[in-house]
Amino acid sequence: MLDKLMNIDRRIVFILVALAVIIPTKLSVNLPVSVSEPTQKLYDYIDDLPAGATIMIAFDYGPASLPELHPMARAVLKQCFEKNIRVIGLTLAADAPTLANTLMEEVAEENEAMVGEDYVFLGYRPGGTLVILGMGNSIASVFDSDYSGTALAEIPMMENIKNYDQISLLLDLASGSTTEGWITYANAQYDLRIASGVTGVLISQMYPFLQTGQLVGLIAGISGAAEYEDLIDTPAKAMKWINIESFVHLLIVGLVILGNIAFFIRNRQEE
Amino acid sequence: MRRQVPLVLCFFFGVTIILTRFSPHPFSQSFYEEVNSWALIIFPFAFVLATVTLIRSHVTRIRRRSEHWQYSFIVFAGLIAMVVIGVPFGPQHPVFEWLFNNIQVPMDATMFSLLAFFIASAAYRAFRARTFEATLLLVTAIIVMIGNVPIGDLIWSETSSVKQWILNNPNLSARRGIILGVSLGVISQSIRIILGIERSYLGGGD
Amino acid sequence: MSKTIQCVVVCLVLCVSLAFSQGLSPPSNVTAMDTPNDDGSSVTIKWDAAPEDSGISGYQILRRIAGGGLEEIGEMLPAGATSYVDATIEKGNAYAYIVRAVSDAEATVDSNETAPAKGTGEWFHTGKIPLFIAMLLFGAVIVWNIYYARSGKEVFVRRIPGLEAVDEAIGRATEMGRSILYSLGLGRVDEVPTIASMTILGQVARRTADYETPLRVPCRDPIVMNVVREVVRTAYLDEGRPDVYNEENVFFVTESQFAYAAGVDGIMIREKPAAIFLQGQFFAESLILAETGNSIGAIQIAGTDSEHQLPFFIAACDYTLIGEELYAASAYLSREPMLLGSLRGQDWGKVLIFITMILGVVLELSGVNWITTLLQRVN
């Protein structure tokens, strides 16, 4: 029995996880969210920007991380459009343009923002760090047109935007190491202010940059997204999912404790 | 000669690109931009290379009737469908978007969601209080896991503050140590590559 | 007669502007000069701060190209501003500037016109001198240590269990008659961990060539795949076994992160390799790969500098190379003096950083903060 508790078949663990996800979706649980400091910092930074300022959002994630990062993007875009802050979207991930463009169009429509005036989506260029570096000198040298093919010179909001000097913030929504790239190349070399929104597994990696001030703020995983939704007073998917996630975390903690109790009892018996 | 040319190129561009970072003069900046543009050009070629390699490897699988060779037809079906719609009509074509949103997005999300299951099974197996250090790790992990979700503060109102302290202090110190080591390792590795001491990327040791 | 009219008009204009600018004093000590440490695309204008009760609510910068008219540039600057960088100049032209102080009532008063200034690009960024010296110092330390090791002096390298286990893993696969799976992760060819991983792969390939153990390398990047083919082929050639090399065993899977994870997982489940190497740059797919490898009972040796993925590898793999151990692998496995020397140099670098940190903390605690200031300047 003790051995069984110590070595539960992984398939049983999988079934328990599935149940811990499915059952709470059927219950309406609404747990209060407390806003963490890194999320608050980003919100305040954008909130303090004057109307007409421009920020960049790098959608550096593919479809896999969409459930975790799309709510962040949606919340920040809404905040920007409501405050008349212009947004330049782009991506370093080959499989992101369609999803990023669709999201920008959706949120823009909901908030009556106009393409070319309030926002523009530049699309994707391969090259990663080279793209980041290239835009430091001239955005048009890397993206000569936007995602729909309109030349940058013909886009009204890009008229006075040449490079990072005219950008107030870059928010990197990332499922990989792109934030480090933006910090190393765009922040260190061109003084561009950087903020980040990352998936759960990358959260702890971002803390050194937060402490040094290289990151203006951080949206940490789905919990960060829920906090941001709370800040803009628009509860949406992240708020729902973070409640579900609570149960999965509880389950994992329960399993770990169970395994350790069995381990402890068996050790005592052996002694 | 086959080795010397890339080694010389690597040395030349390695050193000059480092120097351009210290020189704001227009000449060095335009040189830097030029090299950047050349490097950027290489990446689209990689996609062509990828497609060719993919086709070759799956044709070989079908020809040799390797195990599960039938799946290679699905690869070709997907490839042809996306190219036929994506290349002439662009990625904003409704059919392309439909395929992307209804096939690629759910399939990718499925793979990512496996992580939840694997984290559960790996955590259950790995977190055992075998030693003092392992016990410390176990307790810390539980606090961070619970502190990351709203239920943590319901159990104990200070959970998220303790979690934040763990992330800001012990986590950060350990991570900085690793980052410093890794950064020095990267610098040292880069010097080895620029000086031609490390040549593995040219295929082979010597 | 006309001269008299002109004089009256000028006097009137002067009186009106004086009335409007009453209480406003013009910005003083206005200078325009080439912005230091730039590419010559800007000129910096500086002036003295106005007293708080000056009534100035902002400044407008005006400029004039030699022989041309005055033009306003940029937006209105706040009252506290004392400098402005004009980055809209055309290279080669000299510009003279005027700083116009503006009051709340929109009264204005102009400063004297500055001497014309041109933008000139500098060859060396003086603000980066400390960084340049640090770079030279660290480079010199490494090069010196390489020569030290080359001179035949022994270099001690501590035991790295993950690398010691390479032979064990290959031996086990050979005994079981199963293949070895080697993943270089998601890194591209220009990323250092990928290059480090190629070095380890070269050493693994040499050993598998001897034992004729199949070595399967699924790649995520086509350029990496081509380089890896060359690495493996050369290793087999060096071991005198080109006949065992099979190009098809190094193959491209997909660029997509999770499709790659699915592909590699599929290979693990179908082929059940006895040993799995996960070396390079990994992200969220790390645990998906490592747990699948664990479920098929393979001996797993992981190594990454992506420190956020280390916990997953440590939980699911038998051995894990942590951070810089990945970079030490080539020196450790090949025992090449030049590589060992660079490792020693790296350690010296660490010692230098430790000394700076300790000194910085001690000085900061004693109220001396020049080290902190210096490092902030470098940043």
Side-chain angles (χ1 to χ4, degrees):
Chain A
M1 177 65 186
L2 283 178
D3 274 348
K4 272 193 180 168
L5 273 181
M6 279 177 63
N7 299 298
I8 299 175
D9 189 307
R10 71 180 76 217
R11 283 165 296 189
I12 295 174
V13 176
F14 294 167
I15 290 168
L16 290 174
V17 172
L19 290 175
V21 173
I22 294 164
I23 295 171
T25 52
K26 301 293 164 199
L27 311 167
S28 58
V29 188
N30 280 315
L31 299 169
V33 173
S34 60
V35 179
S36 64
E37 198 191 333
T39 316
Q40 185 72 51
K41 274 185 177 171
L42 175 61
Y43 175 83
D44 291 345
Y45 184 87
I46 296 178
D47 206 51
D48 290 343
L49 289 176
T54 307
I55 72 160
M56 265 183 168
I57 298 183
F59 297 84
D60 295 335
Y61 57 94
S65 320
L66 181 149
E68 216 170 346
L69 297 172
H70 248 33
M72 298 177 190
R74 187 176 280 281
V76 175
L77 280 170
K78 185 171 164 41
Q79 184 193 11
C80 290
F81 291 147
E82 279 179 353
K83 283 211 68 189
N84 285 327
I85 291 164
R86 294 177 295 184
V87 182
I88 300 175
L90 65 114
T91 174
L92 303 177
D95 49 359
T98 306
L99 59 92
N101 187 50
T102 311
L103 181 80
M104 285 190 93
E105 282 175 354
E106 265 175 37
V107 185
E109 203 183 318
E110 287 162 18
N111 295 278
E112 292 167 2
M114 298 295 292
V115 64
E117 287 172 21
D118 303 307
Y119 81 98
V120 62
F121 181 64
L122 301 180
Y124 162 75
R125 287 287 181 279
T129 50
L130 299 170
V131 173
I132 299 174
L133 286 167
M135 286 197 294
N137 289 326
S138 158
I139 296 173
S141 72
V142 183
F143 292 94
D144 51 356
S145 61
D146 74 353
Y147 187 57
S148 61
T150 312
L152 239 52
E154 290 168 19
I155 298 172
M157 68 168 273
M158 297 301 287
E159 197 183 340
N160 294 317
I161 296 172
K162 187 182 169 238
N163 53 31
Y164 295 146
D165 291 346
Q166 293 81 41
I167 307 293
S168 305
L169 176 79
L170 176 120
L171 171 66
D172 185 35
L173 299 173
S175 62
S177 65
T178 43
T179 302
E180 277 105 317
W182 286 105
I183 290 171
T184 313
Y185 300 105
N187 174 261
Q189 300 198 22
Y190 296 99
D191 288 332
L192 177 63
R193 305 298 303 270
I194 312 284
S196 183
V198 293
T199 50
V201 287
L202 296 172
I203 298 171
S204 58
Q205 191 188 349
M206 293 299 134
Y207 272 78
F209 304 116
L210 264 179
Q211 204 194 40
T212 54
Q214 284 163 298
L215 278 183
V216 169
L218 171 74
I219 313 180
I222 201 72
S223 58
E227 291 165 18
Y228 219 94
E229 284 179 359
D230 192 43
L231 283 168
I232 61 163
D233 212 12
T234 315
K237 283 179 176 171
M239 285 284 234
K240 190 180 169 194
W241 291 337
I242 192 64
N243 289 320
I244 296 170
E245 204 177 302
S246 290
F247 290 93
V248 183
H249 282 219
L250 270 188
L251 170 75
I252 297 176
V253 170
L255 283 171
V256 170
I257 292 173
L258 196 69
N260 275 282
I261 291 172
F263 176 73
F264 184 71
I265 296 173
R266 207 192 62 176
N267 274 5
R268 289 291 290 268
Q269 283 174 353
E270 278 177 4
E271 275 171 20
Chain B
M1 190 62 187
R2 194 173 148 266
R3 284 279 164 79
Q4 268 79 340
V5 173
L7 282 177
V8 169
L9 282 177
C10 179
F11 179 78
F12 174 75
F13 285 107
V15 172
T16 45
I17 290 294
I18 289 174
L19 290 179
T20 58
R21 300 293 76 206
F22 292 95
S23 171
H25 195 274
F27 176 79
S28 69
Q29 289 311 302
S30 57
F31 172 78
Y32 173 73
E33 271 181 48
E34 195 63 31
V35 175
N36 233 348
S37 312
W38 276 81
L40 269 171
I41 292 168
I42 296 172
F43 284 92
F45 282 108
F47 283 98
V48 179
L49 196 65
T51 316
V52 173
T53 316
L54 191 77
I55 293 170
R56 267 180 54 186
S57 101
H58 282 276
V59 165
T60 316
R61 284 189 63 174
I62 294 171
R63 200 182 291 147
R64 290 189 186 160
R65 298 284 191 272
S66 312
E67 197 185 359
H68 304 304
W69 59 275
Q70 297 88 341
Y71 290 128
S72 295
F73 285 113
I74 298 176
V75 173
F76 286 128
L79 186 71
I80 291 166
M82 293 306 257
V83 169
V84 164
I85 299 154
V87 173
F89 305 111
Q92 282 177 297
H93 190 272
V95 178
F96 187 91
E97 282 195 351
W98 188 90
L99 286 171
F100 182 82
N101 289 329
N102 295 287
I103 296 179
Q104 187 167 358
V105 171
M107 286 204 301
D108 255 14
T110 304
M111 277 311 288
F112 186 53
S113 63
L114 281 184
L115 207 55
F117 298 94
F118 287 157
I119 283 179
S121 67
Y124 165 71
R125 207 179 51 244
F127 290 131
R128 288 284 147 84
R130 291 191 176 89
T131 59
F132 171 71
E133 289 88 345
T135 313
L136 208 59
L137 187 73
L138 170 72
V139 174
T140 317
I142 288 176
I143 295 171
V144 174
M145 265 194 276
I146 290 293
N148 254 339
V149 283
I151 213 162
D153 279 349
L154 286 185
I155 296 170
W156 179 43
S157 59
E158 290 302 308
T159 320
S160 57
S161 319
V162 178
K163 174 213 85 176
Q164 203 66 31
W165 182 87
I166 291 170
L167 285 173
N168 276 334
N169 297 286
N171 160 66
L172 205 57
S173 327
R175 209 161 276 275
R176 270 197 208 292
I178 297 177
I179 291 174
L180 279 178
V182 167
S183 309
L184 283 170
V186 169
I187 296 172
S188 153
Q189 179 92 344
S190 307
I191 290 176
R192 291 201 293 255
I193 294 167
I194 290 172
L195 294 181
I197 297 168
E198 180 75 81
R199 301 169 181 195
S200 58
Y201 68 98
L202 294 175
D206 306 313
Chain C
M1 182 64 189
S2 64
K3 276 197 176 172
T4 320
I5 293 171
Q6 272 182 5
C7 279
V8 170
V9 170
V10 168
C11 284
L12 271 173
V13 168
L14 279 173
C15 289
V16 169
S17 52
L18 198 70
F20 271 106
S21 62
Q22 210 171 15
L24 277 188
S25 48
S28 55
N29 285 331
V30 181
T31 55
M33 56 174 192
D34 167 42
T35 307
N37 296 323
D38 77 343
D39 61 352
S41 61
S42 68
V43 166
T44 302
I45 304 105
K46 285 184 178 170
W47 59 95
D48 287 349
E52 273 188 23
D53 57 353
S54 64
I56 293 173
S57 63
Y59 296 101
Q60 178 67 54
I61 310 291
L62 297 100
R63 79 175 177 197
R64 183 204 306 278
I65 203 164
L70 276 175
E71 56 169 337
E72 284 186 2
I73 50 163
E75 306 210 329
M76 180 81 84
L77 302 171
T82 55
S83 69
Y84 178 76
V85 177
D86 179 10
T88 58
I89 62 165
E90 272 182 40
K91 284 180 192 170
N93 288 340
Y95 295 87
Y97 291 85
I98 287 174
V99 180
R100 175 173 290 168
V102 183
S103 75
D104 279 333
E106 299 204 355
T108 61
V109 59
D110 289 352
S111 71
N112 292 331
E113 193 168 305
T114 66
K118 258 186 188 180
T120 324
E122 281 77 27
W123 279 103
F124 191 81
H125 193 302
T126 48
K128 290 186 178 174
I129 288 176
L131 188 64
F132 190 69
I133 293 173
M135 188 189 77
L136 287 184
L137 190 69
F138 188 59
V141 164
I142 288 187
V143 173
W144 187 85
N145 276 290
I146 288 171
Y147 280 97
Y148 172 89
R150 266 182 69 178
S151 66
K153 295 192 176 97
E154 200 178 323
V155 176
F156 168 77
V157 184
R158 72 173 166 82
R159 203 177 145 262
I160 302 177
L163 294 173
E164 298 275 309
V166 167
D167 283 327
E168 179 197 335
I170 297 170
R172 189 172 153 201
T174 312
E175 276 172 23
M176 294 171 81
R178 296 222 211 124
S179 61
I180 291 170
L181 184 79
Y182 194 108
S183 168
L184 293 99
L186 304 189
R188 305 204 176 272
V189 77
D190 57 344
E191 276 158 321
V192 184
T194 312
I195 298 176
S197 178
M198 285 176 190
T199 315
I200 303 174
L201 173 63
Q203 299 290 338
V204 171
R206 278 164 197 270
R207 289 160 168 83
T208 55
D210 287 338
Y211 301 129
E212 295 186 27
T213 315
L215 174 64
R216 305 267 284 154
V217 191
C219 299
R220 189 242 183 170
D221 183 302
I223 301 179
V224 169
M225 182 206 72
N226 276 281
V227 180
V228 163
R229 279 187 173 172
E230 194 66 10
V231 170
V232 177
R233 196 182 63 81
T234 314
Y236 277 64
L237 206 65
D238 287 349
E239 293 303 299
R241 299 306 309 270
D243 52 308
V244 185
Y245 172 66
N246 178 5
E247 195 180 73
E248 300 297 324
N249 277 341
V250 182
F251 52 97
F252 170 74
V253 180
T254 167
E255 284 257 339
S256 165
Q257 178 186 14
F258 288 99
Y260 176 79
V264 177
D265 274 3
I267 295 166
M268 286 182 192
I269 289 165
R270 283 194 303 273
E271 300 180 7
K272 298 207 165 31
I276 296 171
F277 290 85
L278 302 167
Q279 305 282 337
Q281 204 173 42
F282 291 87
F283 298 100
E285 76 295 342
S286 66
L287 189 65
I288 297 177
L289 298 175
E291 266 294 284
T292 311
N294 183 289
S295 73
I296 59 162
I299 181 167
Q300 296 199 98
I301 303 178
T304 185
D305 69 344
S306 320
E307 79 280 359
H308 49 292
Q309 301 305 328
L310 284 170
F312 298 135
F313 278 149
I314 292 169
C317 297
D318 299 277
Y319 301 96
T320 305
L321 302 180
I322 297 172
E324 64 193 300
E325 286 179 346
L326 179 69
Y327 303 119
S330 60
Y332 193 91
L333 291 170
S334 67
R335 300 277 156 184
E336 167 76 37
M338 301 240 278
L339 295 175
L340 288 172
S342 68
L343 268 193
R344 193 168 181 264
Q346 210 170 303
D347 278 354
W348 279 38
K350 260 189 236 168
V351 172
L352 276 176
I353 289 179
F354 290 153
I355 293 172
T356 317
M357 276 164 62
I358 292 166
L359 201 68
V361 170
V362 172
L363 287 177
E364 193 73 21
L365 288 174
S366 0
V368 184
N369 53 12
W370 63 267
I371 283 203
T372 327
T373 319
L374 179 79
L375 290 175
Q376 275 165 351
R377 269 192 61 199
V378 174
N379 186 34

